[in-house]
Amino acid sequence: MLETADAGPRTALDRTTERRHIGTFQVPDDVTSMEFSLPGARLETTNVSESDGTNGVVRVTRISNGPGITDYVTHEKDFAYSAYGIHVGQDDRLTFFGEGQRIAVHLIDCREDSPQLGDEITIEMAVSPYRVLIIPKGIAHTLDGLGGVVTRDEPVWYADRNPDWEPDNDLVSFLRSSQQAPVVRTNRHELPVAAHLLLSRMSQQTNAQVQGAYAARYRVSIGGNTTYATLRPTWRAAETGSDIHAWASRNNFVLTGPESFTVVPSTDSCTSDVLEVDLDAGSTEDGPGAGEAGAGGRFVRHEYSRRRLTWLAGSTDAQIEVVTAEGERSVIRLGDPTIGVRVPPGTWYRLTGTGRVWLRSEMELLDLEPWALDHPLGRDVTTTDPSGAGASRPEQDSDRYLPGPALHALARMEAKAISLTR
């Protein structure tokens, strides 16, 4: 499908720059912060905790300092970009998760006011949860080696009156084979956190309804005038059966490849952690749960929070076993990033299978009364062996959850505190 849009003064859209590759940067595996030769492009250290008290969880990657919105992009095995993309109203803040793959990031400075306009660099590094790559607005980027990798983006959004900006899709694309790169004007005014939350909620609503393919905008000449054309592939996600489980439901997503997805938030806090789980860790040889695969065979529950877990990458052998309020046990297969599994507070569950997986963990926190500084945020995990996992606590109509913006603010405060004490 092709759409065109009036992008303002044509002279502003006709500018291009010659590409000049000025260097390749090799990032050592133990380096988590680094500056590059394009102004603003850099690596920063993320907020990572070793486990969270849940069996099998190797590490937890929390949000970094910033607006705190978390979007995810999954990449199919043979994924490859054919184009560069330039955000004119967004800084990308990217953390990569996977089985130690090595990736190459290609950047071109396309900012109209940059003294390094047209300069191009390559960054080569291993996938690591310990660092976030910051790509400022106006820098074209494409990546190689993303097959099987998950990217978390914590974007910073900007607004302006700008002929290159389209609020629904601020990305300007061009083919990798092009010797010229577009010159763009970038937005100047950073949006407040409340506006970030509003835009993320709008993205939730849009992607919940459309669930189609992500569109790309290219500059084209029509009748002697330069304008933007929007191209949208015809990919469609496979239909999901309605009998998966009462606690499993479709996530909000858009396709970025035939089997690749951008997964946007499900909860109104618009923020989440990434759990790296070793399903083989501590599997029992004898005693209760002998022979059970993964997470030591133990069950977990969160007393004061509801969780929504989404498989992002890794072993497709992963499952989640839950215990209902009636004491019945059922198993839900993971392995599909378009499906999220809701785990109510007080529910016994465990992750089973083999291998290593990466999960998005979204949380809704019970609003306990009276509110106090010793609220059990992050300290509500209990575990038991299989024989101790009796009937789960039933959900109650009286359960009330902290408003999303309040939980979002708490998560940002936690991120700031972790960054100051690490």
Side-chain angles (χ1 to χ4, degrees):
M1 185 171 68
L2 184 148
E3 306 167 3
T4 60
D6 182 4
R10 298 293 181 257
T11 54
L13 302 186
D14 288 330
R15 293 185 59 196
T16 62
T17 183
E18 196 78 27
R19 296 168 54 177
R20 300 178 301 277
H21 196 277
I22 62 172
T24 297
F25 294 81
Q26 300 280 349
V27 180
D29 290 351
D30 60 347
V31 169
T32 59
S33 61
M34 189 173 182
E35 298 283 341
F36 302 110
S37 57
L38 299 185
R42 63 193 186 277
L43 291 171
E44 290 183 355
T45 304
T46 52
N47 292 324
V48 180
S49 301
E50 303 304 320
S51 184
D52 68 343
T54 303
N55 284 59
V57 174
V58 177
R59 58 182 60 88
V60 182
T61 306
R62 308 186 189 279
I63 62 171
S64 57
N65 294 335
I69 304 298
T70 51
D71 294 334
Y72 296 83
V73 183
T74 70
H75 302 93
E76 58 208 81
K77 181 180 178 181
D78 299 322
F79 184 89
Y81 279 116
S82 61
Y84 278 88
I86 315 168
H87 288 293
V88 297
Q90 173 179 317
D91 291 341
D92 274 335
R93 299 172 56 86
L94 307 177
T95 305
F96 302 96
F97 303 90
E99 299 276 6
Q101 299 96 320
R102 297 200 68 82
I103 62 174
V105 185
H106 309 283
L107 306 179
I108 307 172
D109 197 335
C110 296
R111 298 169 287 194
E112 66 175 6
D113 57 351
S114 173
Q116 294 184 237
L117 181 64
D119 284 357
E120 178 176 355
I121 65 171
T122 299
I123 303 167
E124 296 179 350
M125 62 183 180
V127 166
S128 170
Y130 292 98
R131 53 193 176 211
V132 55
L133 172 65
I134 298 172
I135 305 175
K137 52 189 167 63
I139 291 185
H141 49 282
T142 195
L143 299 94
D144 293 321
L146 286 180
V149 173
V150 171
T151 303
R152 181 174 75 179
D153 196 1
E154 301 172 86
V156 179
W157 288 318
Y158 302 79
D160 210 338
R161 185 175 182 179
N162 181 353
D164 287 308
W165 186 46
E166 168 56 53
D168 287 339
N169 182 352
D170 82 321
L171 198 67
V172 178
S173 298
F174 63 98
L175 294 177
R176 294 181 66 160
S177 58
S178 174
Q179 296 302 307
Q180 301 281 327
V183 176
V184 299
R185 183 181 307 173
T186 58
N187 291 354
R188 296 171 294 173
H189 309 296
E190 182 176 341
L191 296 178
V193 171
H196 278 78
L197 280 169
L198 174 61
L199 286 175
S200 188
R201 295 299 307 278
M202 291 169 64
S203 177
Q204 288 181 42
Q205 294 296 321
T206 299
N207 290 323
Q209 296 170 8
V210 178
Q211 295 182 341
Y214 189 82
R217 288 193 308 147
Y218 291 85
R219 287 181 180 177
V220 297
S221 179
I222 300 177
N225 291 325
T226 302
T227 188
Y228 280 112
T230 300
L231 303 177
R232 190 183 301 276
T234 58
W235 306 316
R236 300 297 302 177
E239 293 297 325
T240 300
S242 59
D243 59 346
I244 299 176
H245 194 278
W247 291 346
S249 59
R250 197 78 146 175
N251 284 323
N252 307 315
F253 68 89
V254 61
L255 283 96
T256 46
E259 296 180 20
S260 301
F261 305 91
T262 295
V263 186
V264 302
S266 300
T267 65
D268 60 355
S269 72
C270 301
T271 190
S272 60
D273 297 330
V274 176
L275 308 182
E276 183 178 342
V277 184
D278 182 0
L279 296 172
D280 299 314
S283 57
T284 55
E285 297 296 334
D286 47 39
E292 299 285 356
R298 294 180 66 82
F299 279 82
V300 177
R301 72 179 177 190
H302 304 283
E303 301 287 354
Y304 307 107
S305 59
R306 179 165 62 194
R307 306 297 172 110
R308 184 177 175 92
L309 300 175
T310 297
W311 179 93
L312 296 172
S315 172
T316 56
D317 187 39
Q319 301 178 116
I320 180 170
E321 182 179 359
V322 296
V323 184
T324 68
E326 293 74 36
E328 298 176 351
R329 296 187 182 184
S330 58
V331 175
I332 311 167
R333 286 196 62 82
L334 300 174
D336 183 349
T338 73
I339 300 298
V341 179
R342 176 176 58 89
V343 182
T347 298
W348 289 111
Y349 74 97
R350 62 177 173 179
L351 298 166
T352 65
T354 58
R356 190 168 295 243
V357 296
W358 286 262
L359 304 175
R360 177 179 71 172
S361 176
E362 298 174 288
M363 179 176 69
E364 295 172 284
L365 185 65
L366 282 176
D367 187 4
L368 304 179
E369 291 184 328
W371 181 263
L373 292 177
D374 60 350
H375 190 288
L377 173 62
R379 300 189 303 277
D380 68 338
V381 178
T382 57
T383 66
T384 186
D385 60 47
S387 64
S392 297
R393 175 176 84 76
E395 289 190 87
Q396 303 170 8
D397 292 339
S398 59
D399 285 343
R400 299 187 309 170
Y401 294 91
L402 200 65
L407 184 55
H408 180 88
L410 284 173
R412 293 178 66 238
M413 290 170 60
E414 180 187 53
K416 184 67 173 179
I418 292 174
S419 69
L420 293 174
T421 57
R422 63 171 174 245

